[in-house]
Amino acid sequence: MKMKEVWKRTTAFVTAAAISIGMFAGSPVTAKAADEAGIRAFVTRMYEVCLDREPDAAGLDDWSNRLATGQEQGANIAFGFIFSEEFRNLNLCNEHYVDAMYEAFFNREPDAAGKADWLGQLNSGATRGHVMTGFVNSQEFANLCAAYGIDQGSGDWSADNIPVSGSCAICDSGSHEVTPEIQAFAERLYTCCLDREPDVAGLNDWSTALANGAKGSEVASGFIFSQEYKNKDASDTQYVLMLYKTMLGREADTPGVTDWVLHLRNGASREVVYNGFVGSIEFANLCQNAGITVGGAIADNGTTGRQSTGEMVMVYVDTYVDGEYRVTDWYRQVTEGDLVDPKGLYFQSPLPLEGESFIAYEGAKGKVNITSNGYGIMFD
């Protein structure tokens, strides 16, 4: 039975029980029967959603009795199913493990940003117990338990993990080939965003996820908003430069970097800027070339960064004399992330200059125009 079908069926079951309570209000016997119905519906759902099968009579009675007598609560039951040998034998890949958590404990499809965050944690070494702990201690799981009339409970299983050996049962049931183009897309995220070579397990997981329908924007955000990237403490300028390489597959242009950095300085979050790159034609082309779906914007969690690294970087200007290209690569060292007025780079020039300010980073180029006749003028 499919997960969505499970919820429709068990919701109807609990609703019928609630109707019985209303019909016989005040009757202790009916209330007890309704409680038992909710408990058994909850346990049945755990079998069908987590193990993809109907409960056996002995198992259903045992788990239901544990809940009814207070020996166990919802969180403990969750651990019992997720860390059961039967669930372990599914060998779920990281993507489908996260999907299972959302379906089992939130009764919904994962949102892109949330799924990417959990995937990023798993692929960076977090245990599966850590992920399950986050789900079963949440308000959404509390609401699900309340719908069945049971206590949520709580716990911390971060020290527990599920070793995965062999193929993912879900991937095997409808797997698609990991093409060289898909693997190259995933590999670029490691080299451009995390600035390192991919580990074999992580690369396989992300590539498999893309081959089986994960969207480009979801997977990319799993890297860009991962703890590993956050640990780099990148400045706003460094963040934007990384997005050009990661999301567009090219080096940045000075006007573009200046525009995005000024957006960040004016209060835009890093998610807002990221979504701007997701919506670009260049990112769509990268995804198309890899044979994957682009995906959409991620949730805005208000992630902020810092303005400057404080490092000195070399910047350049292109000089135009009366609108005609004449000289290039007049340069000076300035602080990374500073807003540079290119006219200020020409201290020794008596000539009036025009130019637009630009954000400084290594190799950035501004542009100035000498408004009077500059023929024969030599610059030191």
Side-chain angles (χ1 to χ4, degrees):
M1 181 177 290
K2 301 299 182 184
M3 293 182 179
K4 290 181 180 178
E5 295 174 321
V6 171
W7 178 246
K8 289 179 182 178
R9 191 177 107 175
T10 51
T11 301
F13 193 10
V14 174
T15 301
I19 292 173
S20 296
I21 295 174
M23 292 175 62
F24 301 96
S27 169
V29 175
T30 305
K32 182 179 178 182
D35 291 343
E36 289 180 359
I39 287 171
R40 293 179 73 84
F42 177 84
V43 174
T44 298
R45 181 181 187 278
M46 295 300 291
Y47 272 99
E48 294 176 326
V49 174
C50 297
L51 306 183
D52 197 27
R53 68 173 175 86
E54 297 296 321
D56 56 280
L60 177 60
D61 289 343
D62 181 51
W63 285 117
S64 298
N65 182 63
R66 289 168 182 264
L67 282 168
T69 58
Q71 297 177 59
E72 305 287 0
Q73 297 171 309
N76 305 101
I77 299 297
F79 175 79
F81 276 85
I82 298 303
F83 281 83
S84 67
E85 183 177 359
E86 189 171 351
F87 185 85
R88 289 169 182 256
N89 288 341
L90 294 174
N91 280 314
L92 296 184
C93 63
N94 284 344
E95 182 197 7
H96 289 123
Y97 179 79
V98 172
D99 286 344
M101 295 298 99
Y102 274 95
E103 194 69 46
F105 306 125
F106 287 2
N107 182 44
R108 65 176 173 87
E109 296 290 327
D111 57 284
K115 180 176 177 177
D117 181 53
W118 287 118
L119 269 175
Q121 291 187 50
L122 284 171
N123 288 332
S124 296
T127 67
R128 295 197 170 190
H130 165 77
V131 174
M132 192 202 77
T133 296
F135 277 84
V136 300
N137 288 335
S138 69
Q139 185 58 50
E140 280 194 73
F141 184 59
N143 296 341
L144 184 68
C145 290
Y148 288 92
I150 66 172
D151 292 331
Q152 175 189 16
S154 63
D156 185 354
W157 296 275
S158 298
D160 296 288
N161 207 0
I162 297 177
V164 179
S165 60
S167 301
C168 168
I170 295 178
C171 289
D172 279 353
S173 66
S175 61
H176 295 81
E177 179 186 1
V178 175
T179 65
E181 291 78 13
I182 287 176
Q183 185 165 315
F185 182 93
E187 190 168 356
R188 275 186 53 262
L189 297 173
Y190 280 95
T191 56
C192 295
C193 176
L194 303 183
D195 195 27
R196 68 173 174 86
E197 292 299 313
D199 56 282
V200 175
L203 179 61
N204 287 341
D205 276 341
W206 287 116
S207 299
T208 300
L210 287 166
N212 286 283
K215 297 177 176 61
S217 63
E218 296 174 357
V219 172
S221 68
F223 283 78
I224 291 168
F225 294 95
S226 67
Q227 191 58 50
E228 184 173 352
Y229 183 74
K230 290 177 182 177
N231 290 342
K232 293 180 179 294
D233 195 25
S235 70
D236 287 340
T237 310
Q238 291 173 329
Y239 173 71
V240 172
L241 292 173
M242 177 276 296
L243 288 178
Y244 271 89
K245 290 183 179 181
T246 303
M247 304 295 288
L248 306 186
R250 66 173 174 87
E251 295 295 329
D253 58 276
T254 304
V257 175
T258 299
D259 184 57
W260 286 119
V261 171
L262 291 179
H263 271 77
L264 289 166
R265 291 194 181 176
N266 288 326
S269 69
R270 292 196 170 187
E271 286 89 355
V272 167
V273 172
Y274 173 81
N275 287 334
F277 281 79
V278 168
S280 69
I281 294 176
E282 289 175 273
F283 182 64
N285 289 339
L286 280 180
C287 292
Q288 182 178 11
N289 291 338
I292 63 175
T293 305
V294 175
I298 64 170
D300 184 359
N301 295 319
T303 302
T304 58
R306 57 190 179 89
Q307 290 189 5
S308 174
T309 62
E311 299 173 0
M312 298 302 291
V313 295
M314 197 72 76
V315 299
Y316 300 81
V317 293
D318 287 339
T319 305
Y320 292 76
V321 179
D322 292 334
E324 183 181 356
Y325 173 79
R326 290 297 178 87
V327 185
T328 190
D329 288 348
W330 289 90
Y331 62 85
R332 178 183 170 192
Q333 274 199 328
V334 295
T335 303
E336 181 272 322
D338 279 359
L339 187 62
V340 178
D341 180 354
K343 297 188 291 294
L345 298 177
Y346 286 78
F347 292 113
Q348 298 180 17
S349 172
L351 301 175
L353 305 172
E354 292 180 350
E356 293 184 0
S357 299
F358 65 98
I359 291 292
Y361 60 90
E362 188 69 42
K365 284 190 177 182
K367 182 182 294 185
V368 296
N369 181 64
I370 299 176
T371 57
S372 65
N373 192 324
Y375 293 101
I377 296 297
M378 298 295 293
F379 293 90
D380 294 329

